[in-house]
Amino acid sequence: ASMLDNPILKDRIPEIMAQMAGYPESYRAAVIYGEWYTGDSAVYFWEDNMVCPVPDDYLSTWRHLEACDPAMQSKMGHIVFAEEPNTGTWWMISSDYIKGLDSPKAYVEEALKRTATKAIMRRVSDIAPWYTTTAAAEFGVSYQNPFRKTERKDELIKSLQTILSEGRLKIAPECVDFINEISTCQWSETAPGRIVNGQSYHCLDAA
C-alpha cells in the first residue's frame, strides 16, 4: 500500500512527489510505501504499523495536546495529539509546518487557529520566549516548556521510540511531515551523539 493511495492526500501528491525527487530510492520507499529506511545510523526504528488511521469515533472533545517547535527563520513544527478515552492510546492527528509569516503574533495566531475546534488540555513549546510571551500577552494562552530538553535529548528520543514501539502512540497517515522526518533521521558518522542536520527536524522536535 502506498501513502499516496490515501484520498486525504490527493491534493498533495504533486507536492509530495516533488519533495521526493532528489532523494535516494530507499528514502522514497520509506516515505511513500512505509518501507524501513536502511542504515545503521538511523536514530529511530520506524515500522509501517506505527501508522494507523484515526478511529472513526474520533471527536474534537477528546483530550488534545498541542506541541510546537517555534522558528521564524526556517519552519515552525506544529503537532496535535489526541487521547482515545476508551483505551488511553494517543494519536498524532496532525503534523505541519508554519512558515513565511511576518510576526510572532501571526505565528501564534496561526497555531491557535489550527487548534480552535479541539479540546486542548495542554500546550507545550520548545523554549522560544518570542513565541510563548506573545501567546500569553496577546492571547492569554499559556505554553509549558519541556524540562531540561537539551540535557535530556537521549532520554526524550528513547521515550518517543518506546511509546511508538509499544503502540501507545499511533501516527495518522496524514502526518506526512512527521513521518518524513522520523523515518530519515540519522546519527552523524563523524560526530558521535549528533544528528545530521539536527536543526531541520521541526516536527520531530515538537513530538
Side-chain angles (χ1 to χ4, degrees), residues 83-154:
E83 183 186 31
E84 186 177 3
N86 294 332
T87 65
T89 300
W90 282 88
W91 300 79
M92 182 184 293
I93 62 173
S94 69
S95 74
D96 300 289
Y97 300 125
I98 300 176
K99 58 184 178 180
L101 304 182
D102 59 5
S103 69
K105 182 177 179 179
Y107 277 87
V108 176
E109 199 165 31
E110 178 62 24
L112 296 181
K113 184 171 71 175
R114 297 185 183 196
T115 59
T117 61
K118 308 292 191 294
I120 303 292
M121 59 91 178
R122 181 174 297 172
R123 300 179 191 272
V124 179
S125 168
D126 202 353
I127 298 174
W130 66 267
Y131 182 84
T132 54
T133 56
T134 299
E138 297 285 346
F139 300 95
V141 173
S142 176
Y143 281 86
Q144 296 183 5
N145 296 134
F147 174 66
R148 295 174 58 190
K149 178 185 174 185
T150 303
E151 295 91 333
R152 295 170 57 235
K153 181 177 72 173
D154 290 345

Side-chain angles (χ1 to χ4, degrees), residues 57-75:
D57 60 352
Y58 163 76
L59 295 171
S60 61
T61 53
W62 287 8
R63 293 203 314 162
H64 289 71
L65 184 149
E66 177 200 41
C68 57
D69 177 40
M72 288 186 69
Q73 300 303 316
S74 50
K75 294 182 289 190

Side-chain angles (χ1 to χ4, degrees), residues 8-73:
I8 295 175
L9 301 179
K10 181 179 179 181
D11 294 338
R12 292 192 62 187
I13 289 177
E15 172 194 350
I16 293 169
M17 295 308 295
Q19 291 175 347
M20 297 296 102
Y23 290 95
E25 178 61 33
S26 58
Y27 174 94
R28 295 198 298 271
V31 176
I32 297 174
Y33 299 105
E35 296 180 10
W36 174 238
Y37 185 61
T38 56
D40 294 336
S41 56
V43 176
Y44 292 92
F45 178 70
W46 176 254
E47 296 181 294
D48 56 5
N49 64 5
M50 295 173 179
V51 177
C52 296
V54 176
D56 292 337
D57 60 352
Y58 163 76
L59 295 171
S60 61
T61 53
W62 287 8
R63 293 203 314 162
H64 289 71
L65 184 149
E66 177 200 41
C68 57
D69 177 40
M72 288 186 69
Q73 300 303 316

